[in-house]
Amino acid sequence: DVKVTQSSRYLVKRTGEKVFLECVQDMDHENMFWYRQDPGLGLRLIYFSYDVKMKEKGDIPEGYSVSREKKERFSLILESASTNQTSMYLCASNSNYGYTFGSGTRLTVV
Amino acid sequence: QKEVEQNSGPLSVPEGAIASLNCTYSDRGSQSFFWYRQYSGKSPELIMFIYSNGDKEDGRFTAQLNKASQYVSLLIRDSQPSDSATYLCAVMLLNNNNDMRFGAGTRLTVKP
């Protein structure tokens, strides 16, 4: 069974902290994505990557960065967490058969 | 115009009824279409995909595609309270990276 694993289900961080969200997939997929999801706003693409060491900005990259040092791992970094980054974060990888999502990380910034 | 549009709902149906969820898309070249179900607090899970015009059935679920009208729908027959969730329509773009665009989702409530 294909799997996308996000390291944390729930996180609480303080304003100004540097936050790392980790995502690992075991499907050997080239493409990986980070979304955030907020009530009424749907899925919004933050960053994506089509290959190791490669990254592209999505629709809302401000305040975020990413790292893809290995094919299976795609990390989202909040350089200085702010309260408006409180959200559900979803990682995904894709194939011809659509996206597979991780279980999500609900991040609260206080 | 949004790339993928869904009725925002919420949609409420009684148990045992047919729930009909609708989606339109703007990229006429799109070839693959997906429906995801997302329970509250959980991540989206794929329930159906469809590539060809017409109907595709899987148990109580039927996906319908009309490329000429750029319209895709999901019918849920004999709706159950456990079907209560948000349903996301997604369209795969015609590029080499299998990029997808998601609708905002329709919240469905099935009342016992």
Side-chain angles (χ1 to χ4, degrees), chain A residues 21-83:
Chain A
L21 301 183
E22 304 288 344
C23 176
V24 177
Q25 51 98 0
D26 65 0
M27 297 167 282
D28 201 35
H29 286 165
E30 303 288 339
N31 307 332
M32 297 186 73
F33 307 83
W34 274 105
Y35 289 87
R36 65 178 282 179
Q37 188 177 35
D38 302 287
L41 296 178
L43 288 166
R44 293 186 290 168
L45 182 63
I46 305 171
Y47 265 98
F48 58 99
S49 170
Y50 290 151
D51 201 354
V52 176
K53 305 276 187 185
M54 180 271 185
K55 59 186 178 183
E56 292 283 350
K57 292 180 180 179
D59 299 320
I60 52 162
E62 295 79 17
Y64 303 95
S65 63
V66 290
S67 172
R68 185 124 183 244
E69 295 296 319
K70 294 184 178 181
K71 188 176 185 179
E72 67 270 19
R73 187 180 296 270
F74 191 35
S75 303
L76 179 70
I77 304 156
L78 285 66
E79 298 290 344
S80 178
S82 64
T83 55

Short mmCIF file of all heavy atoms in Angstrom, two decimals, chain A residues 21-83:
data_model
loop_
_atom_site.label_atom_id
_atom_site.label_comp_id
_atom_site.label_asym_id
_atom_site.label_seq_id
_atom_site.Cartn_x
_atom_site.Cartn_y
_atom_site.Cartn_z
N LEU A 21 8.37 20.85 9.03
CA LEU A 21 7.37 19.81 8.81
C LEU A 21 7.97 18.83 7.81
O LEU A 21 8.38 19.22 6.72
CB LEU A 21 6.08 20.41 8.26
CG LEU A 21 5.39 21.48 9.13
CD1 LEU A 21 4.10 21.93 8.48
CD2 LEU A 21 5.14 20.98 10.53
N GLU A 22 7.99 17.55 8.23
CA GLU A 22 8.64 16.54 7.40
C GLU A 22 7.62 15.66 6.69
O GLU A 22 6.58 15.32 7.25
CB GLU A 22 9.54 15.66 8.27
CG GLU A 22 10.59 16.42 9.07
CD GLU A 22 11.70 16.96 8.22
OE1 GLU A 22 11.85 16.51 7.05
OE2 GLU A 22 12.43 17.85 8.68
N CYS A 23 7.97 15.26 5.48
CA CYS A 23 7.10 14.39 4.69
C CYS A 23 7.96 13.37 3.97
O CYS A 23 8.96 13.74 3.33
CB CYS A 23 6.31 15.22 3.69
SG CYS A 23 5.27 14.26 2.57
N VAL A 24 7.58 12.10 4.07
CA VAL A 24 8.32 11.02 3.42
C VAL A 24 7.34 10.16 2.64
O VAL A 24 6.28 9.80 3.17
CB VAL A 24 9.07 10.16 4.46
CG1 VAL A 24 9.78 9.01 3.76
CG2 VAL A 24 10.06 11.00 5.24
N GLN A 25 7.69 9.83 1.40
CA GLN A 25 6.86 8.92 0.59
C GLN A 25 7.69 7.71 0.17
O GLN A 25 8.88 7.82 -0.07
CB GLN A 25 6.27 9.65 -0.63
CG GLN A 25 7.26 10.41 -1.49
CD GLN A 25 7.74 9.70 -2.72
OE1 GLN A 25 7.34 8.56 -3.01
NE2 GLN A 25 8.60 10.36 -3.49
N ASP A 26 6.98 6.57 0.09
CA ASP A 26 7.69 5.32 -0.23
C ASP A 26 7.32 4.79 -1.60
O ASP A 26 7.48 3.59 -1.87
CB ASP A 26 7.42 4.27 0.86
CG ASP A 26 5.96 3.85 0.92
OD1 ASP A 26 5.15 4.36 0.13
OD2 ASP A 26 5.62 3.02 1.79
N MET A 27 6.85 5.65 -2.48
CA MET A 27 6.34 5.22 -3.78
C MET A 27 7.29 5.54 -4.92
O MET A 27 6.95 5.34 -6.08
CB MET A 27 4.99 5.90 -4.03
CG MET A 27 3.95 5.49 -3.01
SD MET A 27 2.51 6.55 -3.06
CE MET A 27 3.11 7.99 -2.18
N ASP A 28 8.46 6.09 -4.60
CA ASP A 28 9.42 6.48 -5.62
C ASP A 28 8.86 7.52 -6.59
O ASP A 28 9.22 7.57 -7.77
CB ASP A 28 9.91 5.24 -6.41
CG ASP A 28 11.25 5.50 -7.09
OD1 ASP A 28 12.09 6.23 -6.51
OD2 ASP A 28 11.46 4.99 -8.21
N HIS A 29 7.96 8.36 -6.11
CA HIS A 29 7.38 9.40 -6.95
C HIS A 29 8.36 10.56 -7.13
O HIS A 29 9.08 10.93 -6.20
CB HIS A 29 6.09 9.94 -6.33
CG HIS A 29 4.94 9.00 -6.45
ND1 HIS A 29 3.77 9.15 -5.70
CD2 HIS A 29 4.74 7.91 -7.22
CE1 HIS A 29 2.93 8.20 -6.02
NE2 HIS A 29 3.50 7.42 -6.92
N GLU A 30 8.33 11.12 -8.34
CA GLU A 30 9.19 12.27 -8.61
C GLU A 30 8.64 13.54 -7.95
O GLU A 30 9.39 14.39 -7.48
CB GLU A 30 9.27 12.52 -10.12
CG GLU A 30 9.77 11.36 -10.95
CD GLU A 30 11.25 11.13 -10.77
OE1 GLU A 30 11.95 12.07 -10.34
OE2 GLU A 30 11.72 10.01 -11.02
N ASN A 31 7.33 13.68 -7.95
CA ASN A 31 6.69 14.96 -7.61
C ASN A 31 6.12 14.95 -6.21
O ASN A 31 5.43 14.01 -5.82
CB ASN A 31 5.56 15.26 -8.59
CG ASN A 31 6.01 15.18 -10.04
OD1 ASN A 31 7.17 15.40 -10.35
ND2 ASN A 31 5.08 14.84 -10.91
N MET A 32 6.40 16.02 -5.49
CA MET A 32 5.85 16.16 -4.14
C MET A 32 5.37 17.59 -3.93
O MET A 32 5.88 18.53 -4.56
CB MET A 32 6.91 15.79 -3.08
CG MET A 32 7.35 14.33 -3.17
SD MET A 32 8.45 13.82 -1.85
CE MET A 32 7.33 13.73 -0.45
N PHE A 33 4.40 17.73 -3.04
CA PHE A 33 3.68 18.99 -2.89
C PHE A 33 3.42 19.28 -1.41
O PHE A 33 3.20 18.36 -0.63
CB PHE A 33 2.32 18.92 -3.61
CG PHE A 33 2.42 18.49 -5.05
CD1 PHE A 33 2.50 17.14 -5.37
CD2 PHE A 33 2.42 19.42 -6.06
CE1 PHE A 33 2.59 16.74 -6.69
CE2 PHE A 33 2.51 19.03 -7.38
CZ PHE A 33 2.59 17.68 -7.70
N TRP A 34 3.38 20.57 -1.08
CA TRP A 34 2.91 21.01 0.22
C TRP A 34 1.73 21.95 0.02
O TRP A 34 1.82 22.93 -0.73
CB TRP A 34 4.00 21.74 1.01
CG TRP A 34 4.88 20.83 1.78
CD1 TRP A 34 6.16 20.47 1.49
CD2 TRP A 34 4.55 20.15 3.00
NE1 TRP A 34 6.65 19.62 2.45
CE2 TRP A 34 5.68 19.41 3.38
CE3 TRP A 34 3.41 20.11 3.81
CZ2 TRP A 34 5.71 18.63 4.54
CZ3 TRP A 34 3.43 19.33 4.96
CH2 TRP A 34 4.57 18.60 5.30
N TYR A 35 0.63 21.64 0.72
CA TYR A 35 -0.56 22.47 0.71
C TYR A 35 -0.87 22.89 2.15
O TYR A 35 -0.52 22.21 3.11
CB TYR A 35 -1.79 21.69 0.22
CG TYR A 35 -1.80 21.37 -1.24
CD1 TYR A 35 -1.18 20.22 -1.74
CD2 TYR A 35 -2.47 22.19 -2.15
CE1 TYR A 35 -1.22 19.92 -3.09
CE2 TYR A 35 -2.52 21.88 -3.51
CZ TYR A 35 -1.90 20.75 -3.96
OH TYR A 35 -1.94 20.43 -5.30
N ARG A 36 -1.61 23.99 2.26
CA ARG A 36 -2.28 24.27 3.52
C ARG A 36 -3.78 24.35 3.24
O ARG A 36 -4.20 24.67 2.11
CB ARG A 36 -1.77 25.54 4.21
CG ARG A 36 -2.02 26.83 3.49
CD ARG A 36 -1.51 28.01 4.30
NE ARG A 36 -2.42 28.38 5.40
CZ ARG A 36 -2.21 29.36 6.26
NH1 ARG A 36 -1.09 30.08 6.18
NH2 ARG A 36 -3.08 29.63 7.21
N GLN A 37 -4.55 24.01 4.26
CA GLN A 37 -5.99 23.97 4.08
C GLN A 37 -6.64 24.70 5.24
O GLN A 37 -6.42 24.34 6.40
CB GLN A 37 -6.50 22.53 4.00
CG GLN A 37 -7.96 22.42 3.63
CD GLN A 37 -8.41 20.98 3.47
OE1 GLN A 37 -7.94 20.10 4.20
NE2 GLN A 37 -9.29 20.72 2.52
N ASP A 38 -7.43 25.68 4.91
CA ASP A 38 -8.13 26.48 5.90
C ASP A 38 -9.61 26.48 5.58
O ASP A 38 -9.99 26.43 4.41
CB ASP A 38 -7.59 27.91 5.91
CG ASP A 38 -6.10 27.96 6.19
OD1 ASP A 38 -5.73 27.73 7.35
OD2 ASP A 38 -5.31 28.20 5.26
N PRO A 39 -10.45 26.56 6.61
CA PRO A 39 -11.91 26.54 6.37
C PRO A 39 -12.34 27.59 5.36
O PRO A 39 -11.98 28.76 5.47
CB PRO A 39 -12.48 26.82 7.76
CG PRO A 39 -11.43 26.36 8.72
CD PRO A 39 -10.12 26.64 8.04
N GLY A 40 -13.10 27.15 4.37
CA GLY A 40 -13.63 28.07 3.37
C GLY A 40 -12.66 28.45 2.26
O GLY A 40 -13.06 29.07 1.28
N LEU A 41 -11.40 28.06 2.41
CA LEU A 41 -10.39 28.45 1.40
C LEU A 41 -9.89 27.28 0.57
O LEU A 41 -9.12 27.47 -0.37
CB LEU A 41 -9.21 29.14 2.08
CG LEU A 41 -9.52 30.46 2.78
CD1 LEU A 41 -8.28 31.01 3.45
CD2 LEU A 41 -10.10 31.48 1.79
N GLY A 42 -10.25 26.08 0.94
CA GLY A 42 -9.82 24.92 0.16
C GLY A 42 -8.33 24.66 0.31
O GLY A 42 -7.66 25.16 1.21
N LEU A 43 -7.81 23.88 -0.61
CA LEU A 43 -6.39 23.54 -0.63
C LEU A 43 -5.63 24.64 -1.36
O LEU A 43 -5.98 25.00 -2.48
CB LEU A 43 -6.18 22.21 -1.37
CG LEU A 43 -6.62 20.96 -0.65
CD1 LEU A 43 -6.67 19.78 -1.63
CD2 LEU A 43 -5.68 20.64 0.49
N ARG A 44 -4.59 25.14 -0.74
CA ARG A 44 -3.75 26.15 -1.37
C ARG A 44 -2.31 25.63 -1.44
O ARG A 44 -1.76 25.23 -0.44
CB ARG A 44 -3.83 27.47 -0.60
CG ARG A 44 -5.20 28.14 -0.67
CD ARG A 44 -5.20 29.50 -0.02
NE ARG A 44 -5.06 29.40 1.43
CZ ARG A 44 -4.80 30.44 2.22
NH1 ARG A 44 -4.62 31.63 1.70
NH2 ARG A 44 -4.72 30.27 3.53
N LEU A 45 -1.74 25.71 -2.63
CA LEU A 45 -0.42 25.15 -2.89
C LEU A 45 0.66 26.11 -2.40
O LEU A 45 0.70 27.27 -2.82
CB LEU A 45 -0.27 24.85 -4.39
CG LEU A 45 1.02 24.22 -4.84
CD1 LEU A 45 1.20 22.84 -4.21
CD2 LEU A 45 1.03 24.11 -6.36
N ILE A 46 1.56 25.60 -1.57
CA ILE A 46 2.62 26.42 -1.01
C ILE A 46 3.89 26.29 -1.86
O ILE A 46 4.43 27.26 -2.37
CB ILE A 46 2.93 26.02 0.44
CG1 ILE A 46 1.67 26.06 1.31
CG2 ILE A 46 4.00 26.95 1.04
CD1 ILE A 46 1.86 25.48 2.70
N TYR A 47 4.37 25.07 -1.99
CA TYR A 47 5.57 24.76 -2.77
C TYR A 47 5.40 23.38 -3.36
O TYR A 47 4.67 22.54 -2.83
CB TYR A 47 6.82 24.76 -1.88
CG TYR A 47 7.60 26.05 -1.84
CD1 TYR A 47 7.40 26.94 -0.79
CD2 TYR A 47 8.55 26.36 -2.81
CE1 TYR A 47 8.12 28.12 -0.72
CE2 TYR A 47 9.27 27.55 -2.74
CZ TYR A 47 9.05 28.44 -1.70
OH TYR A 47 9.77 29.61 -1.62
N PHE A 48 6.13 23.12 -4.44
CA PHE A 48 6.19 21.78 -4.97
C PHE A 48 7.57 21.50 -5.53
O PHE A 48 8.39 22.42 -5.70
CB PHE A 48 5.10 21.55 -6.02
CG PHE A 48 5.14 22.49 -7.20
CD1 PHE A 48 5.72 22.09 -8.40
CD2 PHE A 48 4.57 23.75 -7.13
CE1 PHE A 48 5.74 22.95 -9.49
CE2 PHE A 48 4.59 24.61 -8.22
CZ PHE A 48 5.17 24.20 -9.41
N SER A 49 7.80 20.23 -5.80
CA SER A 49 9.12 19.81 -6.27
C SER A 49 8.93 18.67 -7.26
O SER A 49 8.22 17.71 -6.98
CB SER A 49 9.97 19.33 -5.09
OG SER A 49 11.15 18.70 -5.55
N TYR A 50 9.60 18.78 -8.40
CA TYR A 50 9.52 17.74 -9.42
C TYR A 50 10.74 16.83 -9.41
O TYR A 50 10.82 15.88 -10.19
CB TYR A 50 9.37 18.35 -10.81
CG TYR A 50 8.03 19.01 -11.06
CD1 TYR A 50 7.93 20.07 -11.96
CD2 TYR A 50 6.88 18.59 -10.42
CE1 TYR A 50 6.71 20.69 -12.20
CE2 TYR A 50 5.65 19.20 -10.66
CZ TYR A 50 5.58 20.25 -11.55
OH TYR A 50 4.38 20.86 -11.79
N ASP A 51 11.72 17.16 -8.56
CA ASP A 51 12.94 16.34 -8.56
C ASP A 51 13.77 16.71 -7.34
O ASP A 51 13.54 17.77 -6.72
CB ASP A 51 13.73 16.60 -9.84
CG ASP A 51 14.69 15.46 -10.17
OD1 ASP A 51 14.83 14.52 -9.34
OD2 ASP A 51 15.31 15.50 -11.25
N VAL A 52 14.73 15.89 -7.04
CA VAL A 52 15.64 16.17 -5.93
C VAL A 52 16.34 17.51 -6.20
O VAL A 52 16.70 17.82 -7.33
CB VAL A 52 16.68 15.04 -5.80
CG1 VAL A 52 17.70 15.37 -4.72
CG2 VAL A 52 15.99 13.73 -5.50
N LYS A 53 16.48 18.27 -5.15
CA LYS A 53 17.16 19.59 -5.18
C LYS A 53 16.36 20.65 -5.93
O LYS A 53 16.78 21.79 -6.04
CB LYS A 53 18.55 19.50 -5.83
CG LYS A 53 19.48 18.49 -5.20
CD LYS A 53 20.19 19.04 -4.00
CE LYS A 53 21.25 18.05 -3.51
NZ LYS A 53 21.89 18.50 -2.28
N MET A 54 15.22 20.29 -6.45
CA MET A 54 14.42 21.20 -7.24
C MET A 54 13.21 21.65 -6.43
O MET A 54 12.63 20.86 -5.69
CB MET A 54 13.98 20.50 -8.52
CG MET A 54 13.13 21.32 -9.45
SD MET A 54 11.39 21.17 -9.09
CE MET A 54 10.72 22.15 -10.45
N LYS A 55 12.83 22.93 -6.53
CA LYS A 55 11.65 23.44 -5.85
C LYS A 55 11.03 24.56 -6.68
O LYS A 55 11.74 25.29 -7.38
CB LYS A 55 12.00 23.95 -4.45
CG LYS A 55 13.04 25.06 -4.44
CD LYS A 55 13.44 25.42 -3.03
CE LYS A 55 14.52 26.50 -3.03
NZ LYS A 55 14.99 26.81 -1.66
N GLU A 56 9.73 24.65 -6.58
CA GLU A 56 9.00 25.70 -7.28
C GLU A 56 7.99 26.32 -6.33
O GLU A 56 7.37 25.60 -5.53
CB GLU A 56 8.25 25.13 -8.48
CG GLU A 56 9.13 24.62 -9.61
CD GLU A 56 9.69 25.74 -10.46
OE1 GLU A 56 9.25 26.89 -10.30
OE2 GLU A 56 10.58 25.44 -11.28
N LYS A 57 7.79 27.62 -6.44
CA LYS A 57 6.78 28.28 -5.61
C LYS A 57 5.38 27.96 -6.11
O LYS A 57 5.15 27.90 -7.32
CB LYS A 57 7.00 29.81 -5.65
CG LYS A 57 8.28 30.25 -4.98
CD LYS A 57 8.44 31.75 -5.06
CE LYS A 57 9.73 32.19 -4.37
NZ LYS A 57 9.94 33.66 -4.45
N GLY A 58 4.50 27.76 -5.16
CA GLY A 58 3.10 27.60 -5.49
C GLY A 58 2.38 28.93 -5.41
O GLY A 58 2.95 29.98 -5.74
N ASP A 59 1.15 28.89 -4.93
CA ASP A 59 0.33 30.10 -4.91
C ASP A 59 0.57 30.99 -3.70
O ASP A 59 0.36 32.19 -3.75
CB ASP A 59 -1.16 29.69 -4.95
CG ASP A 59 -1.50 28.92 -6.20
OD1 ASP A 59 -1.00 29.28 -7.28
OD2 ASP A 59 -2.25 27.93 -6.11
N ILE A 60 1.04 30.39 -2.60
CA ILE A 60 1.22 31.16 -1.36
C ILE A 60 2.55 30.82 -0.69
O ILE A 60 2.59 30.33 0.43
CB ILE A 60 0.03 30.92 -0.38
CG1 ILE A 60 -0.21 29.42 -0.14
CG2 ILE A 60 -1.23 31.59 -0.90
CD1 ILE A 60 -1.03 29.15 1.09
N PRO A 61 3.68 31.09 -1.32
CA PRO A 61 4.97 30.69 -0.75
C PRO A 61 5.52 31.60 0.35
O PRO A 61 6.47 31.23 1.04
CB PRO A 61 5.89 30.74 -1.98
CG PRO A 61 5.30 31.83 -2.81
CD PRO A 61 3.80 31.74 -2.62
N GLU A 62 4.93 32.77 0.50
CA GLU A 62 5.51 33.76 1.43
C GLU A 62 5.53 33.22 2.86
O GLU A 62 4.52 32.74 3.36
CB GLU A 62 4.71 35.06 1.37
CG GLU A 62 4.77 35.78 0.04
CD GLU A 62 3.84 35.18 -1.01
OE1 GLU A 62 2.92 34.40 -0.61
OE2 GLU A 62 4.03 35.43 -2.20
N GLY A 63 6.70 33.33 3.49
CA GLY A 63 6.85 32.86 4.85
C GLY A 63 7.27 31.42 4.98
O GLY A 63 7.46 30.92 6.09
N TYR A 64 7.42 30.75 3.83
CA TYR A 64 7.77 29.34 3.80
C TYR A 64 9.00 29.10 2.93
O TYR A 64 9.27 29.89 2.03
CB TYR A 64 6.62 28.50 3.24
CG TYR A 64 5.31 28.63 3.95
CD1 TYR A 64 4.34 29.53 3.50
CD2 TYR A 64 5.01 27.84 5.06
CE1 TYR A 64 3.13 29.66 4.14
CE2 TYR A 64 3.79 27.96 5.70
CZ TYR A 64 2.87 28.88 5.24
OH TYR A 64 1.65 29.00 5.88
N SER A 65 9.70 28.04 3.20
CA SER A 65 10.70 27.52 2.29
C SER A 65 10.63 26.00 2.33
O SER A 65 9.90 25.44 3.16
CB SER A 65 12.11 28.00 2.66
OG SER A 65 12.48 27.52 3.94
N VAL A 66 11.34 25.35 1.42
CA VAL A 66 11.29 23.88 1.36
C VAL A 66 12.69 23.34 1.11
O VAL A 66 13.60 24.06 0.70
CB VAL A 66 10.34 23.37 0.25
CG1 VAL A 66 8.88 23.63 0.60
CG2 VAL A 66 10.72 23.96 -1.09
N SER A 67 12.81 22.05 1.35
CA SER A 67 14.06 21.35 1.09
C SER A 67 13.75 19.96 0.55
O SER A 67 12.89 19.26 1.09
CB SER A 67 14.86 21.23 2.39
OG SER A 67 16.00 20.41 2.22
N ARG A 68 14.47 19.59 -0.52
CA ARG A 68 14.32 18.24 -1.07
C ARG A 68 15.72 17.72 -1.37
O ARG A 68 16.20 17.80 -2.49
CB ARG A 68 13.46 18.25 -2.34
CG ARG A 68 13.19 16.83 -2.85
CD ARG A 68 11.74 16.56 -2.98
NE ARG A 68 11.45 15.20 -3.40
CZ ARG A 68 10.86 14.91 -4.57
NH1 ARG A 68 10.54 15.86 -5.42
NH2 ARG A 68 10.61 13.66 -4.84
N GLU A 69 16.33 17.14 -0.36
CA GLU A 69 17.69 16.61 -0.50
C GLU A 69 17.68 15.16 -0.98
O GLU A 69 18.64 14.70 -1.59
CB GLU A 69 18.42 16.70 0.84
CG GLU A 69 18.66 18.13 1.32
CD GLU A 69 19.58 18.90 0.39
OE1 GLU A 69 20.58 18.33 -0.08
OE2 GLU A 69 19.28 20.08 0.10
N LYS A 70 16.58 14.45 -0.70
CA LYS A 70 16.43 13.07 -1.17
C LYS A 70 15.07 12.94 -1.83
O LYS A 70 14.13 13.66 -1.49
CB LYS A 70 16.54 12.09 0.00
CG LYS A 70 17.92 12.05 0.64
CD LYS A 70 17.98 10.98 1.71
CE LYS A 70 19.38 10.90 2.31
NZ LYS A 70 19.47 9.85 3.35
N LYS A 71 14.98 11.99 -2.74
CA LYS A 71 13.75 11.84 -3.53
C LYS A 71 12.54 11.60 -2.64
O LYS A 71 11.45 12.09 -2.91
CB LYS A 71 13.92 10.69 -4.52
CG LYS A 71 12.81 10.55 -5.54
CD LYS A 71 13.14 9.44 -6.52
CE LYS A 71 12.11 9.36 -7.62
NZ LYS A 71 12.45 8.28 -8.59
N GLU A 72 12.72 10.82 -1.59
CA GLU A 72 11.58 10.41 -0.79
C GLU A 72 11.16 11.45 0.25
O GLU A 72 10.11 11.29 0.86
CB GLU A 72 11.89 9.08 -0.09
CG GLU A 72 12.98 9.15 0.97
CD GLU A 72 14.36 8.89 0.41
OE1 GLU A 72 14.54 9.01 -0.82
OE2 GLU A 72 15.25 8.55 1.22
N ARG A 73 11.94 12.48 0.46
CA ARG A 73 11.68 13.40 1.57
C ARG A 73 11.53 14.83 1.08
O ARG A 73 12.38 15.33 0.34
CB ARG A 73 12.82 13.31 2.59
CG ARG A 73 12.60 14.10 3.86
CD ARG A 73 13.81 13.93 4.79
NE ARG A 73 13.96 12.55 5.22
CZ ARG A 73 13.41 12.03 6.30
NH1 ARG A 73 12.66 12.80 7.09
NH2 ARG A 73 13.61 10.77 6.62
N PHE A 74 10.46 15.49 1.54
CA PHE A 74 10.20 16.87 1.16
C PHE A 74 9.80 17.61 2.43
O PHE A 74 8.79 17.28 3.05
CB PHE A 74 9.06 16.90 0.13
CG PHE A 74 8.86 18.22 -0.56
CD1 PHE A 74 9.92 19.06 -0.87
CD2 PHE A 74 7.58 18.62 -0.94
CE1 PHE A 74 9.72 20.26 -1.54
CE2 PHE A 74 7.37 19.83 -1.62
CZ PHE A 74 8.45 20.64 -1.91
N SER A 75 10.62 18.58 2.81
CA SER A 75 10.41 19.27 4.08
C SER A 75 9.90 20.68 3.84
O SER A 75 10.37 21.37 2.94
CB SER A 75 11.73 19.33 4.86
OG SER A 75 12.25 18.04 5.07
N LEU A 76 8.97 21.08 4.68
CA LEU A 76 8.45 22.46 4.65
C LEU A 76 8.99 23.18 5.88
O LEU A 76 8.93 22.64 6.98
CB LEU A 76 6.93 22.45 4.67
CG LEU A 76 6.23 23.82 4.67
CD1 LEU A 76 6.43 24.49 3.30
CD2 LEU A 76 4.75 23.66 4.96
N ILE A 77 9.49 24.38 5.66
CA ILE A 77 10.11 25.15 6.74
C ILE A 77 9.39 26.47 6.89
O ILE A 77 9.21 27.21 5.90
CB ILE A 77 11.60 25.39 6.43
CG1 ILE A 77 12.31 24.06 6.20
CG2 ILE A 77 12.26 26.17 7.58
CD1 ILE A 77 13.56 24.15 5.37
N LEU A 78 8.98 26.75 8.11
CA LEU A 78 8.45 28.07 8.44
C LEU A 78 9.59 28.82 9.12
O LEU A 78 9.99 28.48 10.23
CB LEU A 78 7.25 27.96 9.37
CG LEU A 78 5.91 27.50 8.78
CD1 LEU A 78 5.97 26.04 8.29
CD2 LEU A 78 4.79 27.68 9.79
N GLU A 79 10.14 29.78 8.44
CA GLU A 79 11.36 30.45 8.92
C GLU A 79 11.14 31.15 10.26
O GLU A 79 11.98 31.12 11.13
CB GLU A 79 11.84 31.44 7.88
CG GLU A 79 12.22 30.80 6.54
CD GLU A 79 13.49 29.95 6.63
OE1 GLU A 79 14.24 30.09 7.62
OE2 GLU A 79 13.73 29.15 5.71
N SER A 80 10.00 31.79 10.41
CA SER A 80 9.66 32.50 11.65
C SER A 80 8.15 32.44 11.80
O SER A 80 7.43 33.24 11.20
CB SER A 80 10.15 33.95 11.59
OG SER A 80 9.78 34.64 12.77
N ALA A 81 7.69 31.44 12.54
CA ALA A 81 6.26 31.15 12.58
C ALA A 81 5.45 32.35 13.06
O ALA A 81 5.86 33.08 13.98
CB ALA A 81 6.00 29.95 13.50
N SER A 82 4.31 32.54 12.42
CA SER A 82 3.39 33.60 12.82
C SER A 82 2.00 33.00 13.02
O SER A 82 1.70 31.91 12.52
CB SER A 82 3.34 34.70 11.76
OG SER A 82 2.82 34.19 10.56
N THR A 83 1.16 33.72 13.75
CA THR A 83 -0.17 33.18 14.07
C THR A 83 -1.01 32.93 12.83
O THR A 83 -1.86 32.03 12.82
CB THR A 83 -0.91 34.12 15.03
OG1 THR A 83 -0.98 35.43 14.47
CG2 THR A 83 -0.21 34.19 16.39
#
